[in-house]
Amino acid sequence: MSETDKVIATLKRVLDPETGVDIVTERMVYGYTANELVTEIWMSFMSSTPVCSFCKAIAWSLIDKISDRIVEELQREGYRNVRIVDALNPKIYYRST
């Protein structure tokens, strides 16, 4: 199995808690970089981030859950330093280990 296949298969185990669909199928994953120092997963949560303030608070909770699961699954596969990066603004990290 190639490195790309391994990362994609791992990310497909992470489900959006709201829809029950994996984050790859939902096209939330824009890409990734992996080397011996760090693995960065480039994500877009735009489609799941609503406009109303109360809804944004709920959305942040979902983003936290998804980010935690990504880190969990990748670390289970041996990736140690994992960063979840906003695809539209790479200065924003949702999670970094």
Side-chain angles (χ1 to χ4, degrees):
M1 178 182 285
S2 74
E3 188 73 24
T4 298
D5 292 340
K6 182 179 175 183
V7 171
I8 297 298
T10 301
L11 293 175
K12 281 189 169 195
R13 294 195 306 251
V14 179
L15 304 179
D16 179 334
E18 193 172 48
T19 65
V21 177
D22 73 85
I23 61 173
V24 174
T25 301
E26 282 194 342
R27 298 183 179 184
M28 296 171 91
V29 179
Y30 269 54
Y32 79 93
T33 56
N35 60 46
E36 62 279 350
L37 299 177
V38 67
T39 301
E40 292 183 333
I41 306 299
W42 297 77
M43 300 289 297
S44 175
F45 293 103
M46 289 302 292
S47 62
S48 62
T49 306
V51 177
C52 79
S53 296
F54 177 73
C55 298
K56 283 183 182 182
I58 295 170
W60 278 110
S61 172
L62 292 173
I63 289 169
D64 279 347
K65 286 179 184 178
I66 292 169
S67 297
D68 287 345
R69 282 287 288 143
I70 292 169
V71 170
E72 237 176 68
E73 290 296 332
L74 286 168
Q75 287 183 337
R76 187 174 291 139
E77 292 297 324
Y79 297 93
R80 292 292 144 228
N81 299 313
V82 178
R83 280 190 206 137
I84 312 303
V85 182
D86 188 298
L88 299 176
N89 184 350
K91 292 181 181 181
I92 297 175
Y93 292 100
Y94 294 111
R95 194 66 78 239
S96 185
T97 61

